[in-house]
Amino acid sequence: MVGTANNGRLRLAFSLVNGSQDLGPNSTPASNAGSECGGIEFTREDVEALVSEKMKYKNKFNYKERCENMMEYIKRLRLCIRWFQELEGEYAFEQEKLRSDLELTERRCSEMEVALENKEEELNLIILELRKSLASLQEKLAKEESEKKATVDSLAKEKEARISIERLQASLSEELDKFQGEVDGANQRIASINDMYKLLQEYNSSLQLYNSKLQKDLDAAHETIKRGEKERSTIVENLHNLRGQHKSLRDQLTSSIASQDEVMKQKDSLLNEVACLRMELQQIRDDRDRYQQQVQSVAAEVSKYKDLATNSSELEEKCLSQGNQIQILHDQLAVAERKLQMSDMSALETRIEFEGQKKLINELQNRLEDAEFKLIEGEKLRKKLHNTILELKGNIRVFCRVRPQLPDDNSSNQGKVISYPTSMEYLGRGIDMTQNGQKHCFTFDKVFMPDASQEEVFVEISQLVQSALDGYKVCIFAYGQTGSGKTYTMMGRPGHLEEKGLIPRSLEQIFQTKQALQPQGWRYEMQVSMLEIYNETIRDLLATNRESSRNENGAAGKQYTIKHDANGNTQVSDLTIVDVQSSREVSFLLDRAANSRSVGKTQMNEQSSRSHFVFTMRITGVNESTEQQVQSVLNLIDLAGSERLSKSGSTGDRLKETQAINKSLSSLADVIFALAKKEDHVPFRNSKLTYLLQPCLGGDSKTLMFVNISPEPSSVGESLCSLRFAARVNACEIGTPRRQLNMKTSDSRLSNG
């Protein structure tokens, strides 16, 4: 890179040659001891004194003295010129060295980009492999976890089954012991019942014998009663027969009655005894029935206990088989525990391997982030070097913006006519357009896709807007066909703060930066003017009474003329210039100008701009501490859209407007082509638009063009023409931007710019 001293020396030399005011009053150039001038150096005062020196003669008719003085003056002028030539040679050498350094830097940047791309591909492959291995390890880990979980579940189930079986075995053992005790008690009861049954049988047999005896006695008593009744009847008969013999037989009767009473008593006693026997017999029968029922129930219990004994044997066999099953489950549990230990060990190894892979992935991700950061830094450096190269070359920067699809767009037969390259070299800078199957590729400084927001677009030009406060002339204009989004890009959508255009955002940034620079001693004054070029006529959009300034035929009452001074400043006569202090004042003026601007309806756009809108802000800044002064101009231009008469359907006034717009844009194309071919004559005066833009296109201004593209397949022809025109604009070299920095003078206002 060029050293600081040489830079100051070269700037001094060329500022002296150009008559600039860059040097301070006490500035001196660098040493020039080794030059042909013999170590002679020229300060600014020396040069000014040499230029303004007047010859003094003692005798004006002494031509010899005058000739000697003139030769001495010419000799000093030659020394000064030779000194400037040496400085110019050194500047050329430094410029060539700077270009070689830039080429070397570009080569290094390209090599760095290739290396970064290769490294990125390698890292992507490594990350892909690591992701695959990570996925397989995760699957393996998940499988191991599922197997471990299944094993733990089966182990828990086996433990629960073992516990339930042990509980069942204990309960069965208790029931078996209980049943065994009940069987023993039942056997004892059976033995006692058998003994009781034998006794009952013996008692029953004795009761039967006693009953038969009682029956015999009863039969004998019945016979005795029958006999007594017969005797009574015979006695009664004899009594009747022997009534007559009553007296004689009274004694016999008395004895008979006595015997009869005895017989009756015996009969009653026998009847009572028979009734008692019957009652005892009934009770014995009831006891027999009860004992028979008890015997039957005991027999049922005996059979039940016999079944229980059979079941107990079955339960013992079942307990034995369950004991075998428990032993098998114990073995399986031991095997499962061993498998669980092995799975734990494998899971631990897998986890350790997973942690290692995770650390490796984190390390690779960190390396990838570092590479991406270096890539971003390299891209920033590439952009900075690219912008530096463009500034050194003096090229016009071109940004391309593609409008998104609108609901009203005709989507029939729609195909993908616009595509964007994805390679690192052209990412964000390239755009491809297909027409009739043929692909056309273009590369610009920046390409904005349809989803790009107004904020993203403004971020890319914010540094360019900042240059206006640094003392550079800045021009930004939007070009494209009707309906491609130029006015939206420059002005935005009214009433939507997030969709503000470049002009409102630029003004906000300028006034914010103005406030931020006040502590450093900077004080700025700003003036705003707005005009439109309608049918090759300049109209003042800030005039207080625009209607009254026109005659009956609609022509403007005032005739505005464009003038350029020697410093490249532009002045429009009689144009309204307003001092502004805040962005709110400028927004009010913008709304006022938008309401006054000429718009109309065509078949291509509901509200089509029918004129070229030019917003100009003149900035004058003074630093009170350093006494530096900057003067700059910010031009923001919304061009009218190019259109074809066959598509727009313009007639009458719209036809005249279209012809005037296409003529001025055609003149702009002629100027661009002349600049691209570096012709001696550039036709700036062919239209008001090109003559107004002459300092921006052919001077020392920082110029940027937005080319707006419509994505409709029906507009591919116009879009292709716009892209070709933008490519020619991007190739134009208009000169190196120059900062207008002076020392403070009495007049710190910039007349027009």
Side-chain angles (χ1 to χ4, degrees):
M1 296 299 291
V2 182
T4 306
N6 289 333
N7 275 335
R9 186 175 169 189
L10 294 174
R11 283 197 300 271
L12 171 64
F14 278 89
S15 60
L16 289 174
V17 172
N18 295 331
S20 174
Q21 302 298 321
D22 290 347
L23 293 174
N26 298 322
S27 300
T28 57
S31 176
N32 196 21
S35 66
E36 296 178 2
C37 299
I40 298 176
E41 295 182 357
F42 291 88
T43 63
R44 179 178 176 180
E45 289 81 2
D46 295 338
V47 174
E48 290 179 353
L50 185 63
V51 172
S52 61
E53 182 179 351
K54 293 182 180 180
M55 298 295 178
K56 295 180 180 180
Y57 311 104
K58 296 179 179 179
N59 186 0
K60 63 180 180 179
F61 298 105
N62 190 351
Y63 293 103
K64 183 178 180 181
E65 182 184 359
R66 293 179 64 181
C67 184
E68 289 176 356
N69 291 337
M70 186 64 67
M71 291 297 293
E72 182 67 23
Y73 182 68
I74 292 171
K75 185 177 180 181
R76 281 185 289 154
L77 283 177
R78 284 179 178 175
L79 286 174
C80 182
I81 292 169
R82 191 177 294 114
W83 185 69
F84 276 114
Q85 287 176 349
E86 290 178 0
L87 288 179
E88 186 177 2
E90 290 179 5
Y91 171 76
F93 175 74
E94 293 294 338
Q95 188 178 19
E96 187 65 29
K97 186 177 180 182
L98 180 61
R99 286 179 180 173
S100 62
D101 290 339
L102 286 174
E103 291 176 358
L104 180 61
T105 307
E106 285 182 348
R107 286 197 299 270
R108 287 179 180 175
C109 287
S110 61
E111 292 174 359
M112 187 184 298
E113 287 179 356
V114 173
L116 287 174
E117 289 177 359
N118 296 332
K119 197 66 177 179
E120 184 180 6
E121 291 178 358
E122 293 177 1
L123 290 175
N124 289 332
L125 292 174
I126 294 172
I127 289 172
L128 185 61
E129 292 177 358
L130 289 175
R131 284 176 178 170
K132 290 181 180 178
S133 61
L134 178 62
S136 62
L137 288 173
Q138 286 178 346
E139 291 177 358
K140 187 176 179 182
L141 182 61
K143 188 176 179 182
E144 292 288 341
E145 291 287 342
S146 61
E147 290 180 356
K148 179 181 177 182
K149 187 176 180 181
T151 307
V152 170
D153 293 339
S154 62
L155 180 62
K157 290 180 180 179
E158 289 173 359
K159 286 182 178 179
E160 291 176 357
R162 183 183 67 179
I163 293 170
S164 61
I165 290 171
E166 289 177 353
R167 291 176 180 174
L168 181 61
Q169 185 179 9
S171 62
L172 288 175
S173 300
E174 292 176 358
E175 290 180 359
L176 183 61
D177 295 336
K178 183 178 179 181
F179 288 150
Q180 193 68 36
E182 290 179 355
V183 167
D184 294 337
N187 290 329
Q188 293 177 1
R189 289 177 65 188
I190 288 169
S192 62
I193 288 169
N194 287 330
D195 296 336
M196 187 182 291
Y197 183 68
K198 291 178 181 179
L199 293 174
L200 287 172
Q201 284 181 347
E202 292 176 355
Y203 182 66
N204 191 14
S205 61
S206 63
L207 286 175
Q208 288 177 356
L209 292 174
Y210 182 66
N211 190 13
S212 61
K213 183 179 178 182
L214 288 175
Q215 192 68 32
K216 289 178 181 179
D217 292 337
L218 182 61
D219 292 337
H222 280 296
E223 289 176 357
T224 304
I225 291 169
K226 288 179 180 179
R227 225 177 16 255
E229 287 180 351
K230 287 180 181 180
E231 288 178 356
R232 181 182 178 188
S233 62
T234 56
I235 290 170
V236 170
E237 289 178 357
N238 290 325
L239 183 58
H240 287 292
N241 292 326
L242 294 175
R243 186 171 289 180
Q245 299 174 359
H246 183 269
K247 291 181 179 181
S248 60
L249 295 174
R250 182 172 293 201
D251 296 334
Q252 293 179 0
L253 183 60
T254 305
S255 60
S256 298
I257 291 169
S259 61
Q260 187 179 359
D261 291 334
E262 291 177 0
V263 171
M264 290 299 293
K265 289 179 181 178
Q266 290 179 358
K267 179 182 178 182
D268 293 333
S269 62
L270 288 172
L271 287 172
N272 292 328
E273 188 175 357
V274 168
C276 291
L277 288 173
R278 283 179 177 173
M279 290 175 65
E280 289 179 358
L281 181 61
Q282 185 66 33
Q283 186 176 2
I284 288 169
R285 285 177 179 174
D286 294 337
D287 292 336
R288 183 192 64 185
D289 294 335
R290 189 172 64 254
Y291 287 137
Q292 285 179 352
Q293 290 177 357
Q294 289 180 357
V295 169
Q296 290 176 357
S297 62
V298 168
E301 288 181 357
V302 169
S303 63
K304 182 178 179 181
Y305 288 135
K306 287 180 180 179
D307 294 336
L308 285 174
T310 305
N311 291 332
S312 65
S313 62
E314 292 178 356
L315 287 172
E316 288 178 354
E317 293 177 357
K318 188 175 181 180
C319 287
L320 183 60
S321 64
Q322 287 180 351
N324 295 330
Q325 290 180 359
I326 288 170
Q327 186 63 35
I328 294 171
L329 289 174
H330 276 298
D331 297 338
Q332 291 179 356
L333 180 61
V335 173
E337 286 179 350
R338 286 195 297 272
K339 286 183 178 179
L340 183 61
Q341 291 178 356
M342 292 176 66
S343 65
D344 287 338
M345 293 176 65
S346 62
L348 182 60
E349 293 175 357
T350 306
R351 190 176 297 278
I352 294 172
E353 185 178 0
F354 174 73
E355 292 294 333
Q357 295 290 338
K358 192 174 181 181
K359 289 181 180 178
L360 181 59
I361 289 172
N362 290 331
E363 183 180 355
L364 290 175
Q365 285 179 348
N366 293 330
R367 290 171 61 186
L368 180 61
E369 289 176 358
D370 293 338
E372 289 177 350
F373 177 75
K374 291 180 180 178
L375 186 63
I376 292 171
E377 291 297 322
E379 181 66 17
K380 289 181 180 178
L381 179 61
R382 186 198 66 77
K383 285 185 178 180
K384 185 177 180 181
L385 292 175
H386 180 69
N387 292 333
T388 305
I389 292 170
L390 289 179
E391 288 184 0
L392 290 173
K393 289 182 177 179
N395 289 52
I396 300 176
R397 275 176 270 188
V398 176
F399 287 176
C400 176
R401 187 177 190 185
V402 182
R403 173 177 65 78
Q405 287 282 349
L406 300 178
D408 297 335
D409 289 345
N410 185 14
S411 59
S412 60
N413 300 325
Q414 182 175 355
K416 188 177 181 181
V417 297
I418 297 177
S419 59
Y420 308 94
T422 57
S423 62
M424 288 299 298
E425 183 179 0
Y426 300 106
L427 184 63
R429 299 175 55 242
I431 182 171
D432 302 335
M433 180 162 288
T434 305
Q435 184 186 30
N436 299 327
Q438 186 177 0
K439 189 175 183 180
H440 304 272
C441 302
F442 299 92
T443 304
F444 301 107
D445 297 290
K446 183 67 178 178
V447 175
F448 296 100
M449 296 184 184
D451 57 351
S453 64
Q454 297 280 67
E455 177 67 23
E456 294 175 2
V457 175
F458 177 71
V459 167
E460 292 293 331
I461 70 157
S462 59
Q463 293 300 319
L464 189 62
V465 175
Q466 178 66 33
S467 300
L469 288 173
D470 297 336
Y472 290 94
K473 294 180 182 178
V474 177
C475 178
I476 302 173
F477 64 95
Y479 177 89
Q481 71 179 97
T482 299
S484 59
K486 300 183 300 301
T487 304
Y488 176 78
T489 298
M490 299 303 293
M491 302 296 294
R493 182 178 298 178
H496 296 75
L497 295 179
E498 68 278 1
E499 296 186 36
K500 290 185 295 186
L502 300 185
I503 295 178
R505 292 177 186 270
S506 300
L507 298 175
E508 289 179 359
Q509 177 179 340
I510 286 175
F511 283 102
Q512 288 174 0
T513 310
K514 171 188 173 184
Q515 296 294 328
L517 291 176
Q518 283 184 358
Q520 301 179 16
W522 283 99
R523 298 293 182 267
Y524 288 93
E525 295 180 3
M526 300 179 184
Q527 299 173 321
V528 168
S529 65
M530 302 181 202
L531 61 87
E532 67 173 351
I533 301 176
Y534 175 77
N535 286 350
E536 284 300 305
T537 302
I538 295 177
R539 291 181 178 179
D540 186 0
L541 297 179
L542 298 182
T544 56
N545 192 358
R546 296 185 68 238
E547 296 298 329
S548 62
S549 63
R550 306 182 184 202
N551 56 26
E552 295 178 355
N553 296 328
K558 292 183 180 180
Q559 295 297 326
Y560 300 96
T561 57
I562 304 171
K563 296 180 181 179
H564 304 298
D565 61 15
N567 294 327
N569 297 322
T570 302
Q571 184 177 7
V572 180
S573 62
D574 297 328
L575 188 67
T576 302
I577 299 176
V578 181
D579 291 332
V580 292
Q581 301 296 330
S582 65
S583 60
R584 183 176 299 178
E585 296 179 12
V586 184
S587 299
F588 173 75
L589 296 176
L590 280 173
D591 294 338
R592 178 175 158 190
N595 294 329
S596 302
R597 189 179 179 187
S598 300
V599 295
K601 178 179 180 181
T602 66
Q603 293 181 4
M604 297 181 64
N605 195 356
E606 185 71 22
Q607 280 195 340
S608 175
S609 301
R610 313 307 296 166
S611 64
H612 306 301
F613 172 72
V614 180
F615 171 90
T616 302
M617 174 176 278
R618 298 167 177 82
I619 303 173
T620 302
V622 177
N623 193 314
E624 298 175 352
S625 58
T626 62
E627 294 188 352
Q628 288 181 323
Q629 175 182 333
V630 293
Q631 295 176 343
S632 61
V633 178
L634 174 64
N635 289 310
L636 302 173
I637 303 170
D638 177 19
L639 298 178
S642 62
E643 58 186 48
R644 296 184 181 181
L645 294 175
S646 58
K647 295 184 66 176
S648 65
S650 301
T651 58
D653 293 338
R654 296 291 173 266
L655 177 60
K656 294 180 181 179
E657 294 168 355
T658 302
Q659 291 173 344
I661 292 169
N662 290 340
K663 180 183 177 182
S664 61
L665 293 178
S666 177
S667 299
L668 179 62
D670 294 338
V671 169
I672 294 299
F673 293 157
L675 290 172
K677 294 178 182 179
K678 297 184 178 179
E679 296 180 355
D680 295 334
H681 173 67
V682 181
F684 286 112
R685 293 181 177 271
N686 285 0
S687 72
K688 295 286 182 64
L689 175 65
T690 54
Y691 192 51
L692 184 66
L693 294 180
Q694 181 176 352
C696 303
L697 299 176
D700 51 4
S701 172
K702 289 187 176 183
T703 305
L704 183 143
M705 184 184 87
F706 271 94
V707 55
N708 293 82
I709 301 299
S710 173
E712 291 185 82
S714 60
S715 302
V716 65
E718 285 292 325
S719 299
L720 195 57
C721 291
S722 298
L723 291 174
R724 286 170 177 166
F725 175 72
R728 284 185 175 272
V729 171
N730 203 14
C732 289
E733 297 180 4
I734 61 175
T736 305
R738 183 170 59 88
R739 185 183 183 191
Q740 294 187 354
L741 178 65
N742 303 316
M743 298 309 296
K744 184 178 179 182
T745 59
S746 59
D747 184 11
S748 62
R749 297 290 295 269
L750 181 65
S751 60
N752 278 299

